[in-house]
Amino acid sequence: MDKIRKAVIPVAGLGTRFLPATKAQPKEMLPLVDKPVIQHVVEEAIHAGIENIVLVTGRGKQAIENHFDVAYELEETLDRRGRTEDLRLVQEITHLGQFSYVRQGEPLGLGHAVLCARHAVGEMPFALLLGDDVFDEADPALGALIAAYEATGKSVVGVQEVPESHVSRYGIVNPAASGSATWWDVTRIVEKPAPAVAPSRWAVVGRYVLLPEVFAHLAILKPGVGGEYQLTDALMEMAAEGRLVAAPIPARRFDTGDKLDYLKANVEFALKREDLRAPFQAYLEGLVKKF
Ligand code: UTP
């Protein structure tokens, strides 16, 4: 079985839910405390054994390419000033993995973004991580999917149970036959169902392991909901062919493209930081008394 060594991370979306912050900067560069969202995602991939990262970028996303590239003037200045720790922090980003970039000319949807990476991926299974979904670093997110791929040899969607009132925001899969499965066969995915007709509360969230056969399905997609080429439409066909499993992700997830979730992520990541926890906690406790 081929090892998963490549990851595709699409970052070409417009980020309209986060306007005006995203008018001239990518939402994937918004920081969680002091580290951009996209760096958290890349580090999760590297932690799961990925060596090559293919970023699908678009207009106005150069800040992401610069972030993972050498920053010569900054590095030279930090070196000259003896700021060794800052220099190490800046340089280690460049060495996280092997980076390559493909462009998505127009943001025509997630399915189209993945198809843009076809030649960069080749005939190998690969991981797909959405560039604005962040999981708590302490838990394995992508790792749970890779384990399911290694157990089944099939493509995998990462799933999490969401409240009934949220099922209409996601693709929802059929539940596992037994309660404690680490993976199960997907026989159905329903895109953004009304709660009354949802097959479960198991939502497809931003992590996938995909076999190269997905590209053949993506290549013949017709535009779906909102005129966009939907990855879910290709996944539905793979499910119908018995080629897709779901793996629950046992980690706290934040959709940082959503303003409320972004704020929550910043608070929780700050509270985990040794250097910030005590003063920030004191500040929050003061706020609670005040309001
Ligand atoms: P989202 O649907 O969350 O991104 O896609 P969006 O379209 O930028 O967001 P809103 O709804 O307008 O706020 C999830 C990921 O897929 C990428 C996005 O950059 C994001 O990281 N994406 C989405 C693409 O690369 N291309 C697309 O055409 C759409």
Side-chain angles (χ1 to χ4, degrees):
M1 180 178 291
D2 292 315
K3 273 216 161 301
I4 310 291
R5 298 192 193 284
K6 279 196 183 178
V8 173
I9 310 182
V11 292
L14 295 177
T16 54
R17 283 172 296 157
F18 228 114
L19 283 168
T22 46
K23 184 181 173 194
Q25 68 167 334
K27 67 174 168 184
E28 296 83 1
M29 283 302 291
L30 294 172
L32 292 183
V33 187
D34 51 11
K35 191 191 285 183
V37 164
I38 186 65
Q39 191 180 333
H40 287 276
V41 176
V42 166
E43 286 178 355
E44 179 196 327
I46 301 298
H47 186 71
I50 300 294
E51 294 160 6
N52 297 294
I53 306 276
V54 180
L55 286 145
V56 183
T57 69
R59 274 180 68 78
K61 300 283 179 164
Q62 294 86 338
I64 297 176
E65 299 184 26
N66 291 339
H67 186 70
F68 293 106
D69 199 359
V70 174
Y72 176 74
E73 285 159 341
L74 174 64
E75 291 176 31
E76 209 261 337
T77 306
L78 291 173
D79 191 29
R80 197 158 20 83
R81 293 182 184 170
R83 304 264 298 267
T84 328
E85 182 51 22
D86 287 332
L87 181 62
R88 187 193 58 77
L89 211 66
V90 166
Q91 287 181 329
E92 82 187 2
I93 300 169
T94 317
H95 301 123
L96 280 171
Q98 257 336 97
F99 292 92
S100 55
Y101 299 88
V102 296
R103 293 275 288 209
Q104 185 188 23
E106 263 185 277
L108 295 176
L110 185 56
H112 182 259
V114 176
L115 187 59
C116 289
R118 183 176 199 166
H119 294 295
V121 167
E123 287 303 308
M124 295 291 277
F126 63 99
L128 171 66
L129 298 92
L130 298 196
D132 56 355
D133 257 354
V134 171
F135 289 85
D136 196 306
E137 287 162 319
D139 302 307
L142 181 58
L145 278 72
I146 292 179
Y149 157 75
E150 286 172 349
T152 63
K154 295 182 186 179
S155 294
V156 188
V157 287
V159 292
Q160 288 198 320
E161 266 188 312
V162 296
E164 195 172 291
S165 56
H166 290 187
V167 294
S168 58
R169 301 180 190 176
Y170 296 90
I172 303 290
V173 302
N174 55 282
S178 78
S180 62
T182 51
W183 60 267
W184 63 87
D185 282 305
V186 176
T187 52
R188 275 184 81 197
I189 308 186
V190 187
E191 184 64 9
K192 301 189 172 63
V197 295
S200 73
R201 291 192 291 111
W202 287 102
V204 177
V205 291
R207 299 293 182 266
Y208 311 77
V209 168
L210 298 171
L211 299 188
E213 65 198 25
V214 71
F215 293 121
H217 293 285
L218 291 173
I220 54 168
L221 274 189
K222 301 217 167 25
V225 183
E228 294 197 340
Y229 292 83
Q230 303 288 348
L231 176 65
T232 309
D233 291 343
L235 297 176
M236 280 175 188
E237 288 179 24
M238 289 158 72
E241 291 169 0
R243 301 286 301 153
L244 191 67
V245 299
I249 298 181
R252 176 101 165 85
R253 164 184 170 262
F254 301 94
D255 172 6
T256 64
D258 173 81
K259 287 175 193 172
L260 182 59
D261 242 20
Y262 175 74
L263 291 171
K264 289 180 187 173
N266 262 300
V267 171
E268 294 195 30
F269 277 67
L271 286 172
K272 282 184 192 209
R273 284 270 296 256
E274 291 269 316
D275 56 335
L276 295 172
R277 186 187 305 121
F280 191 51
Q281 199 164 10
Y283 166 73
L284 290 177
E285 280 163 8
L287 269 191
V288 171
K289 285 191 198 114
K290 200 162 148 193
F291 287 98

